[in-house]
Amino acid sequence: MILVVLEHDGARLRKGALEAVTRARQLSALGAVSGVVIGENLGAVAEEARRYVSTVYVAEVGAYTAEKWAAAAYAAAQKAAAKVVIATGGRQSRSWSAKLAYKLGAALLEDTLETSTDGSRVVATRYSFLNRVTEKQAAGLPVVITAKPNTTPLAEPQGEGGVESLSVELPAPQVEVLERVVEQKKGVSLTEATVVVTGGRGLGSPEAFAGVEQLADLLGGAVGATRAVVDAGWRPYSEQVGQTGKTVQPGAYIALAVSGAVQHQAGMNKSKYIVAVNKDAEAPIFKIADYGIVGDVHQVLPALLEAAKKLKD
């Protein structure tokens, strides 16, 4: 049996969960696909999830902690007799997946780009060295796998599976959550966006991001920022793209006044199309861009906005 830990926002499954289901189906030679949803008030999420897997285990364990999620995923894996557990890659899964692998005595394959089986083992590919090298790994069963976001097609519904409540023996909390502040953000999530418009320090001021936001809105995308911009306090850390921020892989990545240091490239260089605007013709971003405009962003951005408005109309 294969178990998918289905990430959600409390109301519906996230895009990454449907990617993880696709990964599980690709390994169907190892067994049927079940899933587990973890958290609180999970009725609506469980109803959606049952359209994608044979059985949905519902673990009502309250607000997130790594210990709770590892315990719930372990209980679901035991219940399903799963030898393979798959989850969406990211900061949250990174905090509990190693704990789960330890509990299961399993191998851990993190941030995989694709997975397959050669019969007795799972074979996976992943990036290393700032996304510049692709390496292949193999692990025997049991195994815990995390799937790098935006690397796998989304699963389509397949019938209606069953729903079972799951009893979870929760460990004594090692960390007490005193307060949880959830950022209220409009529009599409940065990691799930098909278009990302990122502004760099070359924009000159936080006020210049109004044009970045407008272009992202016209294109149905999300706003990104470089580390220098975030460090300057112009934009929130949640928008940071790069080695120390988020990794994105949209269909189109528009870099405005972004120099494109290797640390930034690590978070976006696998985008399908990269469009760069920079006044420095020698900027590193042009080495990976599909389309480049050498010019003053304050002159180019208004022209891009006009073109986007016409496209939308």
Side-chain angles (χ1 to χ4, degrees), residues 12-13 17-19 21-22 25 47-54 153-161:
R12 58 179 301 173
L13 297 178
L18 302 185
E19 292 189 54
V21 171
T22 295
R25 291 175 181 173
E47 279 301 308
E48 181 186 6
R50 66 195 292 257
R51 299 165 56 204
Y52 295 91
V53 296
S54 60
L154 304 185
E156 295 291 337
Q158 288 186 355
E160 292 189 355

Side-chain angles (χ1 to χ4, degrees), residues 161-246:
V163 177
E164 294 186 24
S165 295
L166 189 66
S167 176
V168 181
E169 184 177 343
L170 294 177
Q174 295 177 300
V175 176
E176 181 183 1
V177 179
L178 300 178
E179 182 182 14
R180 183 179 300 273
V181 179
V182 179
E183 180 184 12
Q184 299 300 317
K185 184 174 176 62
K186 297 180 180 179
V188 65
S189 165
L190 180 60
T191 55
E192 297 187 0
T194 57
V195 176
V196 173
V197 183
T198 292
R201 186 167 50 186
L203 283 166
S205 69
E207 290 75 21
F209 268 84
V212 178
E213 292 177 347
Q214 187 178 0
L215 183 58
D217 183 60
L218 287 168
L219 297 176
V223 173
T226 63
R227 178 172 178 173
V229 165
V230 172
D231 287 348
W234 295 359
R235 305 297 293 184
Y237 172 72
S238 60
E239 292 180 358
Q240 183 176 319
V241 176
Q243 184 182 6
T244 55
K246 292 181 179 177

Side-chain angles (χ1 to χ4, degrees), residues 16-253:
L18 302 185
E19 292 189 54
V21 171
T22 295
R23 291 290 194 92
R25 291 175 181 173
Q26 291 170 347
L27 300 176
S28 60
L30 299 176
V33 179
S34 60
V36 59
V37 290
I38 308 170
E40 53 190 339
N41 302 318
L42 297 169
V45 175
E47 279 301 308
E48 181 186 6
R50 66 195 292 257
R51 299 165 56 204
Y52 295 91
V53 296
S54 60
T55 303
V56 179
Y57 299 103
V58 180
E60 294 272 359
V61 296
Y64 175 82
T65 68
E67 290 79 14
K68 287 180 182 179
W69 256 240
Y74 177 75
Q78 295 292 98
K79 182 79 171 179
K83 295 296 183 182
V84 179
V85 179
I86 302 177
T88 308
R91 292 183 182 275
Q92 180 167 299
S93 63
R94 198 171 293 125
S95 71
W96 59 260
S97 57
K99 297 177 185 292
L100 173 63
Y102 177 78
K103 287 174 173 286
L104 292 171
L108 177 60
L109 298 174
E110 292 187 293
D111 283 334
T112 61
L113 302 171
E114 56 185 25
T115 41
S116 60
T117 177
D118 64 4
S120 60
R121 302 184 304 173
V122 171
V123 179
T125 57
R126 65 187 298 273
Y127 291 134
S128 62
F129 295 101
L130 297 179
N131 293 7
R132 292 181 170 183
V133 176
T134 301
E135 63 183 22
K136 183 174 287 188
Q137 300 177 330
L141 304 182
V143 62
V144 176
I145 301 165
T146 61
K148 189 176 182 65
N150 303 309
T151 60
T152 311
L154 304 185
E156 295 291 337
Q158 288 186 355
E160 292 189 355
V163 177
E164 294 186 24
S165 295
L166 189 66
S167 176
V168 181
E169 184 177 343
L170 294 177
Q174 295 177 300
V175 176
E176 181 183 1
V177 179
L178 300 178
E179 182 182 14
R180 183 179 300 273
V181 179
V182 179
E183 180 184 12
Q184 299 300 317
K185 184 174 176 62
K186 297 180 180 179
V188 65
S189 165
L190 180 60
T191 55
E192 297 187 0
T194 57
V195 176
V196 173
V197 183
T198 292
R201 186 167 50 186
L203 283 166
S205 69
E207 290 75 21
F209 268 84
V212 178
E213 292 177 347
Q214 187 178 0
L215 183 58
D217 183 60
L218 287 168
L219 297 176
V223 173
T226 63
R227 178 172 178 173
V229 165
V230 172
D231 287 348
W234 295 359
R235 305 297 293 184
Y237 172 72
S238 60
E239 292 180 358
Q240 183 176 319
V241 176
Q243 184 182 6
T244 55
K246 292 181 179 177
T247 298
V248 298
Q249 198 168 3
Y253 187 88

